[in-house]
Amino acid sequence: MLTQSEIKKPDYGVDAPGVVRVLVLVGLCLCVLALGLLIVFRLNALVIVLAAWVILWALVCLGEALAMLWTSRVGKLREIRRMLDCLVLSGDEEVLDVGCGRGMLLIEAARRLRSGHATGIDIWSERDQSGNSPQVTQENARLAGVAERVTVLTADARQLPFPSEHFDVIVSCLALHNIDGREERCQALREMLRVLKPGGRIAMLDFTHVKEYAQDLQTLGVDQLTLGRPSWRVFPPLRMLLARKLPVSEKSETAATTI
Ligand SMILES: C[S@@+](CC[C@H](N)C(=O)[O-])C[C@H]1O[C@@H](n2cnc3c(N)ncnc32)[C@H](O)[C@@H]1O
């Protein structure tokens, strides 16, 4: 019989692995520099102050790297669960995860479905997430026991390969900021709204451009828009955005509220 530690669990990788690597490298180089200063110039007051200043920056870099690793592995999952709690899924929804990566949000959504289905699309950038690939995401879904409720496809957020008004709920976490240029990100939002049913809901987490998503979504036609404050429980701090695509007959008259 397999012990608890031998049972394989989904592995969601590390976000922005290149940034984490650079932060660790710079942090370690600064530590060596501080040590070098102390060894070469001995313990005089000026050198001690300079070395302390260098060590401070080394700690900032290493701390940021650690915080990013913790967020990828632990903190982001908490924020994702909080966002899914806000959606209160009934279990029969068609859900789309835009930029699903290795599937943390996709699989958490699928866990909350019974007769519903979760589809994830991505372009599998390994710069944005380590070891990113559709095979890894499918294997994670299998390990989480939700493979039969999950489909993984290769597609760009700006050109979704789905008919209009197909999904009940669209979610996305830390994906859209990777698209360069406001008009290109707006095109992704336009596509998300196109494939969403009238009255369907959008839920997003990101650390930057979130106000811009809110403004563009309002222009494109949503109501019940709420924009969360930055959550400093994770690094970088994530903001949650929730909105509903206007039912056919309604016009957007709502202003964004802050939760
Ligand atoms: C930081 S990862 C986050 C992945 C996943 N949502 C999560 O939270 O674990 C960002 C993801 O967005 C994807 N991505 C970037 N640009 C995209 C685009 N234009 N269309 C679809 N996915 C994209 C990347 O390939 C990557 O998987």
Side-chain angles (χ1 to χ4, degrees):
M1 205 166 101
L2 289 174
T3 64
Q4 200 64 26
S5 62
E6 287 167 331
I7 297 172
K8 272 192 90 184
K9 294 194 178 128
D11 179 349
Y12 297 118
V14 173
D15 293 345
V19 176
V20 175
R21 263 196 298 272
V22 167
L23 285 169
V24 171
L25 204 68
V26 172
L28 292 179
C29 287
L30 289 175
C31 286
V32 172
L33 177 66
L35 209 64
L37 282 173
L38 290 173
I39 291 169
V40 172
F41 297 102
R42 310 287 157 161
L43 295 180
N44 86 56
L46 187 69
V47 170
I48 289 176
V49 170
L50 190 64
W53 189 78
V54 172
I55 285 284
L56 183 74
W57 282 105
L59 289 178
V60 168
C61 290
L62 294 174
E64 276 190 24
L66 264 181
M68 284 180 74
L69 281 175
W70 183 85
T71 297
S72 291
R73 300 305 223 174
V74 184
K76 187 172 67 170
L77 183 60
R78 294 182 185 166
E79 297 301 308
I80 280 173
R81 288 184 172 152
R82 212 162 65 87
M83 178 171 82
L84 290 172
D85 287 347
C86 291
L87 281 172
V88 199
L89 298 175
S90 56
D92 59 357
E93 291 92 346
E94 280 291 327
V95 178
L96 173 66
D97 180 3
V98 175
C100 62
R102 297 174 60 143
M104 186 184 273
L105 172 54
L106 179 70
I107 287 165
E108 279 306 304
R111 285 186 206 274
R112 297 175 187 223
L113 300 176
R114 288 189 306 276
S115 58
H117 197 85
T119 303
I121 65 103
D122 205 295
I123 55 167
W124 317 112
S125 155
E126 293 197 37
R127 198 190 58 159
D128 298 336
Q129 193 164 66
S130 63
N132 209 355
S133 85
Q135 292 77 19
V136 169
T137 311
Q138 261 147 359
E139 174 64 3
N140 278 341
R142 191 187 66 76
L143 291 172
V146 296
E148 75 289 353
R149 296 199 290 281
V150 166
T151 300
V152 177
L153 298 171
T154 299
D156 193 297
R158 291 162 288 186
Q159 201 173 0
L160 296 174
F162 307 108
S164 298
E165 304 185 359
H166 184 72
F167 293 97
D168 301 292
V169 174
I170 298 187
V171 293
S172 185
C173 175
L174 281 169
L176 257 54
H177 74 268
N178 294 301
I179 301 174
D180 286 337
R182 182 169 185 166
E183 184 42 45
E184 293 298 304
R185 289 189 291 275
C186 186
Q187 172 59 21
L189 293 172
R190 201 175 286 119
E191 274 293 90
M192 286 159 74
L193 275 188
R194 177 183 68 75
V195 302
L196 188 60
K197 291 178 183 167
R201 288 170 301 153
I202 286 192
M204 297 170 67
L205 283 170
D206 217 330
F207 74 99
T208 180
H209 304 308
V210 191
K211 266 190 185 166
E212 168 200 301
Y213 306 153
Q215 285 165 358
D216 289 345
L217 280 172
Q218 278 194 314
T219 311
L220 293 169
V222 299
D223 67 357
Q224 298 182 4
L225 194 144
T226 57
L227 190 55
R229 293 183 206 289
S231 165
W232 287 93
R233 286 176 289 242
V234 287
F235 185 84
L238 296 181
R239 291 188 86 172
M240 186 185 353
L241 181 156
L242 301 169
R244 182 182 76 146
K245 180 175 173 179
L246 285 178
V248 247
S249 57
E250 291 177 26
K251 278 203 186 129
S252 176
E253 284 162 6
T254 50
T257 53
T258 303
I259 52 174

